[in-house]
Amino acid sequence: MNEANRHAIAADHVFDGWARHKDAAVVVEGSLIVGVIPRSELPLGLQVRKLPSEIWLAPGFIDLQVNGGGDVLFNNLPTPEAILAIAAAHRKFGTTALLPTFITDTSEKMKAAFASVESLAEREPGILGIHLEGPFLSSEKAGVHDPSLMRQPSSADLELLCGPRKGALLVTLAPERVPRGFIAQLAKHGVRVSLGHSMATYAETLAAMAEGLSGFTHLFNAMRPLASREPGPIAAALESPNAWFGIIVDGFHVNPAMLRLALRGLSRPILVTDAMPPVGGRQSRFALYGAEIQIVEGRCTRSDGTLAGSALHMAAAVRNCVQMLGVPLEVAFRFASRNPAEFIGLGHLLGNLRPGYRADVVALDVGTLEVLATWVAGKESAA
Ligand SMILES: [Zn+2]
């Protein structure tokens, strides 16, 4: 061990993913965490970053559904530079790692998006991989996706999705719109498959889960609703301890009472933003498929009123989870970091502030939601 390489971040409250430590410090060596120790036990001479009183350190937020940020929409600009601009915009709100999310579009653009993410996979630790939301979706639940670009998977798609890659791959699809065995093939290649924009029945959802589907994208939105004789995907999701579901806690996408109901199920919640370009940006409008999307009173909507993603950031999602859903802060932190890390198979490296984990940390004032600083792989960036 190289002691000279070590530094520490000290705060009044350190939540390590499991428990809260008062007056503690996260000791970092290179990109990894060595331990969390009482502040009083910090060795003399160690470089210590001290934070103001009442600040919390928590595992950096991991957002698995980010369409845009900093006035950039990934679908409009599927380049490495665009991804970095989006990540920088979200980092101000505590997001230390994310999956740029590419929604239903042409196969050429999808390939470009995929290649851009791959080019960053080994040099940008905050870019964990890609989330492809579409194009294998149900036009009956299109939401803001362009139904004319939805399609059945081709053999070229299968090659792209199951081929060699460096980062994580999450695919949101409608199980009833893909051939039997398709989900199993993706799952066999380490792809995380999530149900979304789907009219799948309860039985169809269970069959997809048997093939390896393990996620539910923005639960409740753009899927068959819960109904007495056809429980659909929502009931199937909430009955399974081996499933994860994303929720957009902005007060607009889902009534908080429905979200509180979902939290009583067996599956594991994940806070996502489904963020659009205005997050961390300056403009209150942007173009999607050539149509104008406006932000009015915090909602991103198309002229016909259809919700088009959100203007939410992760710090606000955590706050809303506490205030609207009555979830304890530590649990909300887990929904924002440990659960998403585990869902995409990175639970051994991310989502906790424990020895051997990557030093991805957020320092925030939980009262004002102000993010003071973040660390990605041990490197600080002031907010
Ligand atoms: Zn969606």
Side-chain angles (χ1 to χ4, degrees):
M1 273 214 218
N2 184 358
E3 301 273 334
N5 243 341
R6 285 190 179 186
H7 63 102
I9 315 158
D12 282 1
H13 310 274
V14 176
F15 177 65
D16 69 6
W18 297 83
R20 181 179 9 163
H21 308 261
K22 287 213 57 146
D23 284 327
V26 180
V27 182
V28 177
E29 184 172 298
S31 64
L32 299 179
I33 293 168
V34 185
V36 175
I37 61 173
R39 217 167 353 192
S40 57
E41 290 175 18
L42 278 168
L44 283 173
L46 186 70
Q47 187 202 328
V48 181
R49 170 78 156 87
K50 296 191 181 86
L51 293 157
S53 61
E54 289 310 309
I55 295 303
W56 282 66
L57 292 178
F61 305 143
I62 300 169
D63 191 348
L64 302 185
Q65 195 166 0
V66 183
N67 309 295
D71 294 322
V72 176
L73 182 69
F74 188 34
N75 270 66
N76 289 351
L77 201 62
T79 65
E81 294 74 25
I83 295 167
L84 294 177
I86 292 167
H90 282 268
R91 202 166 157 181
K92 292 180 208 147
F93 305 105
T95 299
T96 52
L98 54 80
L99 292 183
T101 300
F102 189 80
I103 72 167
T104 303
D105 215 314
T106 62
S107 45
E108 290 72 33
K109 277 178 83 178
M110 184 168 100
K111 269 186 235 153
F114 201 92
S116 295
V117 170
E118 275 293 290
S119 75
L120 296 172
E122 276 168 353
R123 57 189 169 95
E124 289 294 335
I127 310 302
L128 301 178
I130 187 168
H131 180 173
L132 296 174
E133 191 189 7
F136 321 125
L137 305 178
S138 165
S139 55
E140 280 179 72
K141 287 287 174 188
V144 81
H145 292 233
D146 182 348
S148 73
L149 293 168
M150 291 177 182
R151 53 191 174 81
Q152 290 268 313
S154 65
S155 55
D157 289 323
L158 198 61
E159 233 170 85
L160 179 74
L161 302 180
C162 297
R165 70 189 137 75
K166 299 178 201 123
L169 174 56
L170 171 60
V171 174
T172 292
L173 53 73
E176 75 278 19
R177 295 297 169 107
V178 298
R180 189 167 299 179
F182 180 70
I183 292 170
Q185 264 183 297
L186 296 190
K188 196 175 87 188
H189 288 87
V191 180
R192 294 301 188 269
V193 182
S194 189
L195 178 147
H197 294 267
S198 165
M199 276 299 284
T201 61
Y202 179 74
E204 284 167 335
T205 307
L206 292 187
M209 291 170 86
E211 281 198 34
L213 180 138
S214 57
F216 293 82
T217 298
H218 45 55
L219 191 74
F220 295 107
N221 293 117
M223 60 180 66
R224 179 189 284 279
L226 272 175
S228 53
R229 283 179 296 282
E230 175 43 80
I234 299 166
L238 298 181
E239 281 185 329
S240 169
N242 301 316
W244 282 266
F245 62 90
I247 48 176
I248 308 168
V249 193
D250 62 356
F252 305 129
H253 275 78
V254 188
N255 186 291
M258 288 300 251
L259 293 177
R260 288 193 292 270
L261 180 68
L263 297 185
R264 302 173 88 152
L266 298 178
S267 46
R268 284 169 274 182
I270 291 173
L271 295 180
V272 298
T273 62
D274 201 10
M276 285 296 186
V279 174
R282 292 195 181 139
Q283 288 156 21
S284 61
R285 60 190 64 200
F286 61 93
L288 174 62
Y289 303 121
E292 187 178 87
I293 309 294
Q294 285 212 40
I295 320 301
V296 181
E297 290 167 6
R299 290 169 211 240
C300 295
T301 50
R302 202 165 59 187
S303 58
D304 65 357
T306 304
L307 278 178
S310 86
L312 186 69
H313 55 68
M314 283 298 273
V318 168
R319 177 195 56 192
N320 293 346
C321 194
V322 172
Q323 292 182 353
M324 292 179 186
L325 310 184
V327 168
L329 179 63
E330 286 94 331
V331 176
F333 280 145
R334 260 179 228 149
F335 294 174
S337 193
R338 200 172 87 201
N339 284 5
E342 286 179 356
F343 175 43
I344 59 168
L346 293 171
H348 59 288
L349 185 68
L350 300 173
N352 291 302
L353 304 182
R354 310 193 110 197
Y357 277 75
R358 205 169 78 188
D360 282 18
V361 186
V362 55
L364 78 167
D365 180 323
V366 296
T368 63
L369 269 194
E370 192 195 346
V371 171
L372 281 85
T374 51
W375 289 259
V376 175
K379 286 208 183 84
E380 180 173 355
S381 140

